Amino acid sequence: MTPRRARLAQSAVVLTPSGLILLLGAWGIRRQDAVWRDEAVTYDMAHRALADLCRTLQHVDVVHGLYYALMHGWFRLYDAALGDALGAAVGLRLPSVVAMTAAAAGVALLGQRLVGRRAGLLAGLTFALIPVVQQYAQEGRSYATVCALVVWATILLLRGAARPHRRLWPGYTALMLFACLLHEFACLALPAHGAAVILARLPRRVLRAWALSAVTVLAGLAPLAVFSTRQSAQIGWLMWPDPLQLLTFAVLAVLGLACARVRVRSRGPIGLRALGVPLLLLPTLLLLLLSHVEPAYVDRYVLYYVVGFALLAGAALARLLRPAGEPGRTRTRRLRRTLVLAAVLAALLPVDVHLRSPDSRVDDVSAVARAVREIAEPGDGLLFMPSRRRIWMATRPHDFRGLTDLALAGRPSASHTLYGTELSGDAIRERILVSRRIVVAGDPAGQLSDDSDQEIAKRATLRSSFVECEVTEVRGARMALYARAAGAGDGGAGGC
């Protein structure tokens, strides 16, 4: 192969997977302009003044503070140039698309460095086709960026192990620290990296260099981690791991371990298995172990575990799909491979289409706002039940104009909170009782009810003095219109 063709082949290893995930990220990025509640939080926090953002982080969501600050800078550029044309949903997700594109390129480079070009190409393509990767490539949160940083830190780890250089380890340390400051659970990649160094039986100087980097990262993360423990109530909604998320991990873990049994020749001092298996298993297993102390498991917190699977699967595919010797056998194998690939893509297509629909997320803030606008009239009262659902207003406040938020004491930005502060239960009851019609934006049936004084007052007053006239259900929410019951303190008038 000529040097030029070799360079082109090497470029194709990186450009093909990254181009694929870029196309998949752009496909359906608007999701019919649906935004779910976590993305609405990102939008709200990123649009606050930096001083207000800093004050808010002192009370809540400090673990995402760096991400919000970065998104604040991004939206200042985006809103000025493209906001009116493309909308909020695209602005929220573009950084994640770019980050996952960088991650796919990094996975391809990892596979190439560990095994070879074919393995790198297939690892990158496998990574791009994993549904959970496509999901978070279109998510206005930090998880795609964290994944990309861990991938490129892993590249520096391999380079540092192969060619000891003083500049590589500071780079590795900086990328890992950046990832951890974006999300604390990125630190669970450190044990996977440490296990790779130990399993590869590298010289002690490499182990010492990695250990020094890991200690530096943890020391840099420690102030944030200690401060964030004051806000641990934020994940109080976590009770037990989601069965579907556990099943996804279990399937990928089993398939990854099966791929690890395929014999491949690794390049460099750190082998494929030494890196791929710990990266696939350790972050999730450690998070599950931590969840026995305090519930904390959500798959997106350790999204980068799929990198381990992609590396193992890419190497196994490269081995299994290598050209056969005899022409007749080669044609038969190619046909079988084509059929298998077509079957896999056909199986993934319905999942990919679903991920780009509003129904793929917990709720749909845009649908909530439209439903409220359809059933409400100017002057109606408005209640969010529970109060944290007030975040549904963040991206479409104009749809709630003319309505009176009966429970609101301080707006989110003014009170330096995520959802605003509410009046006392007695004050809320008084305000409800002077209203004729009330629109209630709440959780769908079957959700646990909050037991705060405010929420109890809302439920009790509506039940005793109002009748439910109209109900509209959308993804993850239930909008109901209430009218004063006949004879409920208004001289007999009332009812629907």
Side-chain angles (χ1 to χ4, degrees), residues 144-161:
T145 306
V146 170
C147 183
L149 289 169
V150 170
V151 167
W152 285 91
T154 306
I155 291 174
L156 291 184
L157 174 72
L158 293 185
R159 293 186 62 188

Side-chain angles (χ1 to χ4, degrees), residues 31-54:
R31 213 159 57 234
Q32 300 178 31
D33 289 326
V35 174
W36 79 290
R37 66 183 68 154
D38 278 12
E39 290 181 308
V41 171
T42 297
Y43 185 87
D44 179 43
M45 297 290 272
H47 282 83
R48 297 188 186 190
L50 285 178
D52 291 335
L53 175 60
C54 290

Side-chain angles (χ1 to χ4, degrees), residues 365-415:
V365 171
S366 302
V368 169
R370 289 193 296 268
V372 168
R373 184 180 59 198
E374 289 173 1
I375 66 174
E377 295 178 357
D380 285 350
L382 175 65
L383 288 175
F384 291 97
M385 296 174 61
S387 62
R388 57 182 175 273
R389 300 297 174 249
R390 190 171 282 106
I391 194 61
W392 286 337
M393 291 181 62
T395 61
R396 300 176 66 95
H398 53 279
D399 287 324
F400 296 84
R401 287 176 186 163
L403 306 180
T404 302
D405 193 335
L406 300 176
L408 185 65
R411 295 188 177 279
S413 57
S415 60

Side-chain angles (χ1 to χ4, degrees), residues 323-324 327-340:
R329 186 176 299 178
T330 298
R331 286 192 295 270
T332 302
R333 286 191 176 185
R334 284 178 178 173
L335 179 59
R336 290 175 181 174
R337 295 165 190 167
T338 303
L339 292 175
V340 170

Side-chain angles (χ1 to χ4, degrees), residues 8-9 62 116 118 149 184 235 297 308 335 344 397 456 465:
L8 290 174
V62 69
R118 186 188 298 270
L149 289 169
E184 292 178 1
I235 57 173
Y297 176 77
L335 179 59
V344 171
I456 292 174
S465 302

Side-chain angles (χ1 to χ4, degrees), residues 62-378:
V62 69
V63 292
H64 298 295
L66 178 58
Y67 176 69
Y68 293 149
L70 293 174
M71 290 298 287
H72 174 85
W74 159 248
F75 268 114
R76 291 197 66 175
L77 298 174
Y78 176 82
D79 288 344
L82 301 170
D84 291 339
L86 299 181
V90 176
L92 279 165
R93 295 163 191 153
L94 271 179
S96 293
V97 173
V98 173
M100 207 60 92
T101 301
V107 171
L109 284 176
L110 280 173
Q112 179 177 257
R113 180 173 287 273
L114 288 167
V115 180
R117 287 177 185 168
R118 186 188 298 270
L121 176 62
L122 292 171
L125 293 174
T126 299
F127 178 80
L129 291 174
I130 297 173
V132 73
V133 169
Q134 296 181 43
Q135 177 180 349
Y136 291 106
Q138 294 186 341
E139 190 93 340
R141 300 295 279 176
S142 64
Y143 309 111
T145 306
V146 170
C147 183
L149 289 169
V150 170
V151 167
W152 285 91
T154 306
I155 291 174
L156 291 184
L157 174 72
L158 293 185
R159 293 186 62 188
R163 292 183 181 180
H165 197 290
R166 291 182 179 180
R167 294 182 180 179
L168 293 175
W169 290 107
Y172 169 80
T173 305
L175 288 180
M176 282 304 305
L177 180 58
F178 191 16
C180 291
L181 293 177
L182 281 174
H183 198 281
E184 292 178 1
F185 287 134
C187 68
L188 295 178
L190 290 173
H193 289 164
V197 172
I198 293 171
L199 291 173
R201 299 180 180 178
L202 297 176
R204 288 186 178 180
R205 56 183 171 75
V206 176
L207 181 59
R208 285 196 299 267
W210 171 82
L212 178 60
S213 294
V215 169
T216 304
V217 170
L218 294 177
L221 177 63
L224 175 64
V226 171
F227 188 84
S228 67
T229 58
R230 304 178 187 177
Q231 302 175 2
S232 59
Q234 268 194 270
I235 57 173
W237 57 271
L238 285 174
M239 299 300 293
W240 49 78
D242 182 270
L244 182 58
Q245 294 179 9
L246 281 180
L247 178 62
T248 301
F249 167 69
V251 169
L252 292 182
V254 170
L255 291 176
L257 291 176
C259 291
R261 294 177 61 86
V262 177
R263 291 187 178 183
V264 295
R265 181 177 296 178
S266 297
R267 300 176 176 181
I270 297 181
L272 171 70
R273 294 177 186 174
L275 177 65
V277 173
L279 196 55
L280 170 62
L281 299 180
L282 280 183
T284 299
L285 293 179
L286 290 172
L287 187 56
L288 286 170
L289 186 63
L290 176 63
S291 294
H292 284 285
V293 179
E294 181 175 349
Y297 176 77
V298 182
D299 63 347
R300 58 182 179 266
Y301 293 171
V302 287
L303 176 63
Y304 47 85
Y305 84 86
V306 299
V307 175
F309 170 77
L311 293 173
L312 295 169
L317 288 171
R319 172 72 175 177
L320 297 174
L321 299 180
R322 70 188 188 281
E326 301 176 11
R329 186 176 299 178
T330 298
R331 286 192 295 270
T332 302
R333 286 191 176 185
R334 284 178 178 173
L335 179 59
R336 290 175 181 174
R337 295 165 190 167
T338 303
L339 292 175
V340 170
L341 178 60
V344 171
L345 294 177
L348 289 176
L349 184 59
V351 179
D352 295 341
V353 172
H354 173 71
L355 289 174
R356 288 155 179 84
S357 71
D359 290 341
S360 64
R361 302 312 195 267
V362 172
D363 58 5
D364 182 355
V365 171
S366 302
V368 169
R370 289 193 296 268
V372 168
R373 184 180 59 198
E374 289 173 1
I375 66 174
E377 295 178 357

